[in-house]
Amino acid sequence: MAYPVVQRTGAEAAYPSRTWRAFVLHWISTTDHKEIGLLYITFSFISFIFAGILAMFMRAELALPGPTILTESQYSQFFSTHGTTMIFLFIIPVFVGFGNYFVPLLIGAKDMAFPRINALGFWMLPPAALMIWTGQAAVGWTGYEPLTNVMYTPGPSVDLWLVGLIVVGTSSILGGANFLVTILKLRRPGMTFWKMPLFVWAILTTQMMVVMATPVLASVLTLAFLDRNIGTCFFVTTAGCGPIFGAGDPGDPILWQHLFWFYSHPAVYIMVLPAMGVINEVIPKMSRKPIFGYKAMAMALFGIGFVGFLVWAHHMFTTGISVTVRAPFMIMTMVVAVPTGVKIFNWLATMWRGSINFKTPLLFAVGFLALFTIGGIDGVYQASIPLDYQLQESYWVVAHLHYVLFGGSVMGLFAACYFWYPTMTKRMYNERLGQAHFLMTLVGMNLVFFTMHFIGLSGMLRRTFDYTSELQYWPQLAWMNLLASLGAFLLGIGQLPFFYNMIVSKWKGKVAPADPWA
Amino acid sequence: MEEHASHAASAGDAGHAEHHGSIWPFVLAVAGGLGFSGLATHEIPLILAGIAILVVGVGGWLWQDSRGVSFTVKGNYEERPFAGISRRKLGMWIFLVSEIFFFTGLIGAGLTLRLRVPSCPSVGQACWPEPASPDFPLNIPLTAINTFVLITSSLTMVEALHAAQKGNRAQMKAFLFATFLLGATFVSIQVYEYNKLFFGENLTPWVNSVRPELGTFGTAFYAQTGFHGAHVTGGILALLFLNVKAWRGKYGKDDHEAIELVGLYWHFVDVVWIFLFPIMYLIGR
């Protein structure tokens, strides 16, 4: 499929004037899908930088045993805010941005179905981010009860976190409804479902999941907010809700986990399916071959989305839920590998005997295939209940989730950035810088996260601030952590050429040809 | 303006001849940010500022509509298999799907609390009041009447839409007003019952020392019926809007989609109550 270089006319051409005030007024009142897409993408990368810096601080702290640059509570705040920001304010919205920009272009719609609601969805994110970042709640991105209870974490930090996420969730639902109506009602004449580009299929699946899963998160966050501020007893087992008459806990902390993971496991697919959609576009174009098994690819997306709703309790194997509940969740988790495997093999089959154009987007797409496969195999391995008992809460889990979210979603995101850069800016990015970015990202990413597998298997717990006391049993933790930290710094530095490339090429880049990937 | 239009036309597909900006989404987001952060930090002035700006934002949004500024994306599109349903109606259905999941989480949480304690009376342990027992705190006959009121309001809502489709505007206005009144009656009776329960029966959202044996019954009751009541209140506001516009001459044979959309929402809220009423008031263990 050819990607036309978009003429920036209409809204852009109608800039009232070039004064600073007119510029601001233009951007806060725009309802154009491309401009809102750019706002989403810009905002998300600001979040990425912020949360990335937090990660650098965390790895700096862990590089050497003993307290070094952070205090224990700072460390807890940093990893909590890192996780919340990366998931809710970076990966999810950045793909909403790309969807905003490209779904209408790919299906031939002039704009999203509800342009003002589209703008509202974006503008809810910055206030939510301010709440989450000023709150700096130290409850992890999962906010497990009863730690989130006012008894254990008093003050407004958790309230700001809860309320901020409710606002993010509302924004997601508005965006989701908008995407669904756009895709279902605004395709160009003749574009039936089986003719939609696979990126659109991916966004369709993703946004269906958003619309069904996010409200459950909103409800559980609201209930936790009521627990903290009104004194209700949904998740609370202590204090006012205490053991009443001396027997039995009225509230149920495990209820939080069920409802939270009912959203947050599908959220993993909400984050990775759009990246798969990008790979679906990049690999055929760069291999100069049509995608292998188009229908199978679309159905696999839906399959992942469907099964993704039936696996949430695999996050809860060690909470004491009964084995008759655990076993089906284990099996369903392993079933996710089937449609995922279909996709991986179809991508490989697409590249097979293709005339491959080894530009940066393809490098990241291939990086996605390799790293996401590692993350996926980790996931199937970890789905096994007895193994999960050993791995739960260890660094092994951190390794797994970063292979899926960084190796999957973010590698796909970088592929999208380079692949669509000429379409969005009419300029070419610098290929050398792109390659340098890929190399440093690949090496740094594997150094930090592959090492974490061994750190976890050695027995180091995640969310810990110091590992001095473990060193007498596992002295290897010292060099492993140092290695992981060095990898993290390489990964951090590796992002500098990316930002330089993306910003400077807008003005200095070569003018893009009609088909940049011919 | 002339030049702008011709420019856009020459750009073909990428044309934005009908492109408008709107500041109101930004204003609404500012309102949400202020109001919600006020809620989290217990700062009443922030909440009030949020509400004030919210009113301005919603007003501005509707004002833009009333001036005929259209954000509708025009053009000929492949709509199968959704050709028979308008974009707004499809959007409303999708919103209702998300609402179903919201209430599923809420009702699921309530049922979980119920299953954690035995039925009353129970010695030495918090318990869940049984509807059949004489000291059941909730007023079943009153709420049964109230349920009837709410279901009747769904009927009048359908009749309002039907009258609009037939072009009978007088009947439409009457039924819209009846729906509004019935909705308001439902909420009023609920407020009355809340008042009775809270002060008369000592049923509180938290566990209280006067009637500790009620345990988390109040938590589940107020959260579920409260969120439902808030949704009904939202619907009443929407009905108020419809009533005002109807009295000012809007809606009729060719213009009744707004009534249908509010109607869909209204029926949804009704259906939620049809689940909540038995769960909280009728079914014993």
Side-chain angles (χ1 to χ4, degrees):
Chain A
M1 175 164 305
Y3 287 91
V5 176
V6 175
Q7 298 294 322
R8 309 205 86 204
T9 51
E12 288 90 337
Y15 270 90
S17 66
R18 289 178 184 275
T19 65
W20 185 83
R21 272 180 60 196
F23 177 81
V24 171
L25 191 67
H26 172 84
W27 280 98
I28 62 174
S29 63
T30 183
T31 56
D32 178 72
H33 72 96
K34 280 185 275 176
E35 294 185 344
I36 292 172
L38 287 174
L39 286 172
Y40 265 111
I41 293 167
T42 311
F43 167 81
S44 305
F45 273 110
I46 292 169
S47 303
F48 176 56
I49 294 169
F50 175 70
I53 290 172
L54 292 180
M56 294 299 117
F57 273 104
M58 282 146 58
R59 281 320 311 179
E61 170 59 48
L62 292 171
L64 299 170
T68 47
I69 63 166
L70 298 176
T71 66
E72 209 163 349
S73 57
Q74 274 172 342
Y75 184 85
S76 300
Q77 291 180 323
F78 278 27
F79 78 71
S80 305
T81 310
H82 165 82
T84 306
T85 306
M86 283 295 192
I87 289 168
F88 290 104
L89 303 172
F90 169 51
I91 299 181
I92 293 178
V94 81
F95 282 116
V96 174
F98 275 100
N100 243 302
Y101 202 107
F102 286 101
V103 164
L105 295 184
L106 287 170
I107 64 175
K110 281 187 188 138
D111 205 318
M112 297 283 283
F114 307 113
R116 279 186 299 183
I117 288 179
N118 199 18
L120 177 61
F122 169 73
W123 285 111
M124 288 169 90
L125 289 179
L130 285 180
M131 285 182 230
I132 291 165
W133 294 345
T134 52
Q136 291 275 326
V139 291
W141 85 273
T142 50
Y144 278 163
E145 296 280 357
L147 177 62
T148 321
N149 172 10
V150 73
M151 279 295 290
Y152 300 103
T153 316
S157 67
V158 175
D159 292 315
L160 284 165
W161 181 79
L162 291 168
V163 165
L165 286 188
I166 290 173
V167 176
V168 173
T170 314
S171 147
S172 289
I173 295 168
L174 292 176
N178 206 352
F179 270 115
L180 292 185
V181 176
T182 306
I183 296 172
L184 297 179
K185 292 281 291 181
L186 269 77
R187 285 163 285 130
R188 77 166 63 89
M191 185 185 274
T192 55
F193 279 119
W194 289 123
K195 287 177 185 163
M196 290 195 310
L198 282 168
F199 180 70
V200 180
W201 269 106
I203 296 290
L204 178 67
T205 319
T206 306
Q207 297 302 330
M208 284 174 75
M209 300 184 81
V210 164
V211 164
M212 292 191 281
T214 317
V216 177
L217 177 75
S219 73
V220 71
L221 294 168
T222 313
L223 298 182
F225 186 80
L226 294 178
D227 269 9
R228 289 176 63 85
N229 292 280
I230 306 288
T232 58
C233 305
F234 281 103
F235 312 115
V236 188
T237 55
T238 48
C241 306
I244 300 157
F245 295 113
D249 288 324
D252 186 358
I254 301 300
L255 173 64
W256 165 275
Q257 293 197 27
H258 275 295
L259 292 176
F260 178 83
W261 286 115
F262 184 85
Y263 165 76
S264 292
H265 195 82
V268 174
Y269 303 109
I270 290 169
M271 287 183 271
V272 86
L273 291 185
M276 290 180 168
V278 170
I279 304 301
N280 281 333
E281 301 293 320
V282 172
I283 284 186
K285 182 73 187 169
M286 305 303 272
S287 307
R288 299 181 176 101
K289 268 181 68 188
I291 189 97
F292 181 88
Y294 166 86
K295 278 197 181 181
M297 289 300 249
M299 286 191 277
L301 282 167
F302 257 67
I304 296 172
F306 178 74
V307 180
F309 271 101
L310 304 173
V311 298
W312 77 87
H314 69 211
H315 296 270
M316 302 165 56
F317 283 162
T318 57
T319 56
I321 54 176
S322 80
V323 73
T324 43
V325 174
R326 276 179 275 157
F329 277 103
M330 172 177 89
I331 293 163
M332 289 315 283
T333 305
M334 293 177 170
V335 166
V336 179
V338 176
T340 313
V342 167
K343 297 193 75 70
I344 299 281
F345 282 116
N346 281 5
W347 285 318
L348 293 178
T350 307
M351 290 173 73
W352 182 254
R353 298 204 171 155
S355 163
I356 297 174
N357 185 356
F358 274 99
K359 294 277 172 48
T360 313
L362 186 91
L363 297 180
F364 276 101
V366 175
F368 170 96
L369 290 187
L371 299 176
F372 185 75
T373 303
I374 294 176
I377 291 172
D378 279 359
V380 175
Y381 179 73
Q382 204 176 333
S384 161
I385 296 169
L387 274 169
D388 187 75
Y389 266 65
Q390 299 300 314
L391 300 172
Q392 174 91 26
E393 205 56 23
S394 79
Y395 255 92
W396 205 92
V397 178
V398 183
H400 159 64
L401 76 92
H402 281 94
Y403 265 92
V404 176
L405 293 184
F406 198 100
S409 306
V410 180
M411 294 299 260
L413 167 66
F414 286 142
C417 288
Y418 289 106
F419 185 64
W420 280 323
Y421 193 80
T423 316
M424 296 168 84
T425 62
K426 294 197 284 181
R427 302 273 181 162
M428 292 303 289
Y429 61 87
N430 183 313
E431 189 63 40
R432 268 293 158 80
L433 283 176
Q435 287 167 348
H437 173 219
F438 172 71
L439 200 65
M440 286 200 274
T441 303
L442 186 75
V443 175
M445 191 265 162
N446 280 299
L447 274 181
V448 52
F449 299 124
F450 206 77
T451 313
M452 278 185 187
H453 285 111
F454 299 107
I455 295 174
L457 290 174
S458 301
M460 183 164 157
L461 298 180
R462 66 193 286 205
R463 302 190 175 107
T464 42
F465 155 77
D466 182 25
Y467 49 91
T468 313
S469 55
E470 281 95 329
L471 284 177
Q472 52 180 316
Y473 309 108
W474 305 299
Q476 70 273 28
L477 283 179
W479 68 262
M480 284 178 179
N481 271 300
L482 184 62
L483 184 65
S485 291
L486 292 176
F489 299 145
L490 177 64
L491 182 59
I493 293 165
Q495 306 314 306
L496 297 180
F498 169 71
F499 287 107
Y500 179 84
N501 204 354
M502 289 289 130
I503 295 167
V504 174
S505 300
K506 171 83 176 75
W507 291 276
K508 296 279 170 74
K510 275 188 237 145
V511 174
D515 183 357
W517 315 117
Chain B
M1 202 60 218
E2 192 77 52
E3 192 184 300
H4 176 196
S6 63
H7 189 137
S10 69
D13 260 347
H16 288 264
E18 74 278 18
H19 180 90
H20 302 288
S22 176
I23 190 74
W24 306 112
F26 179 78
V27 174
L28 285 179
V30 171
L34 287 176
F36 275 109
S37 51
L39 213 58
T41 54
H42 302 174
E43 292 287 344
I44 307 292
L46 273 181
I47 300 177
L48 294 178
I51 294 172
I53 299 175
L54 179 74
V55 171
V56 172
V58 173
W61 187 299
L62 297 174
W63 172 75
Q64 215 172 17
D65 282 341
S66 70
R67 280 179 67 232
V69 182
S70 170
F71 289 87
T72 309
V73 181
K74 296 181 184 68
N76 192 15
Y77 293 110
E78 179 65 61
E79 298 189 348
R80 281 175 295 164
F82 293 94
I85 174 171
S86 80
R87 290 176 206 163
R88 280 163 195 257
K89 206 198 282 187
L90 187 60
M92 176 55 84
W93 276 113
I94 292 166
F95 171 70
L96 292 183
V97 167
S98 79
E99 286 277 44
I100 288 171
F101 276 85
F102 179 85
F103 276 101
T104 305
L106 196 65
I107 295 173
L111 290 176
T112 307
L113 291 189
R114 194 229 204 293
L115 296 176
R116 288 181 70 78
V117 288
S119 299
C120 289
S122 162
V123 182
Q125 202 177 348
C127 59
W128 200 273
E130 281 291 299
S133 75
D135 56 349
F136 186 62
L138 308 181
N139 190 338
I140 299 174
L142 179 68
T143 311
I145 294 169
N146 215 10
T147 306
F148 181 72
V149 168
L150 194 64
I151 293 175
T152 311
S153 78
S154 260
L155 176 71
T156 55
M157 190 80 227
V158 175
E159 288 298 334
L161 177 64
H162 189 59
Q165 284 166 338
K166 283 189 308 188
N168 188 341
R169 293 200 68 256
Q171 213 178 57
M172 173 195 85
K173 281 192 279 191
F175 275 118
L176 275 181
F177 189 64
T179 314
F180 169 77
L181 276 187
L182 289 167
T185 309
F186 176 85
V187 174
S188 306
I189 292 179
Q190 209 181 17
V191 169
Y192 169 81
E193 203 203 354
Y194 268 27
N195 194 38
K196 280 272 198 193
L197 289 171
F198 193 91
F199 296 106
E201 301 274 353
N202 283 302
L203 181 71
T204 51
W206 48 87
V207 181
N208 66 72
S209 50
V210 184
R211 293 192 69 183
E213 77 279 6
L214 289 177
T216 48
F217 181 68
T219 292
F221 172 76
Y222 284 110
Q224 293 179 65
T225 57
F227 271 105
H228 176 262
H231 277 77
V232 178
T233 310
I236 291 172
L237 290 177
L239 279 166
L240 187 65
F241 176 79
L242 289 187
N243 272 288
V244 170
K245 290 203 109 176
W247 280 99
R248 292 175 65 184
K250 277 272 280 179
Y251 310 131
K253 194 162 186 171
D254 306 312
D255 176 21
H256 48 70
E257 192 175 61
I259 299 178
E260 193 173 358
L261 295 185
V262 174
L264 282 176
Y265 174 80
W266 192 253
H267 300 316
F268 164 76
V269 172
D270 198 344
V271 170
V272 171
W273 184 253
I274 289 171
F275 280 93
L276 274 185
F277 178 54
I279 287 173
M280 285 315 302
Y281 288 80
L282 300 182
I283 301 176
R285 197 162 182 177

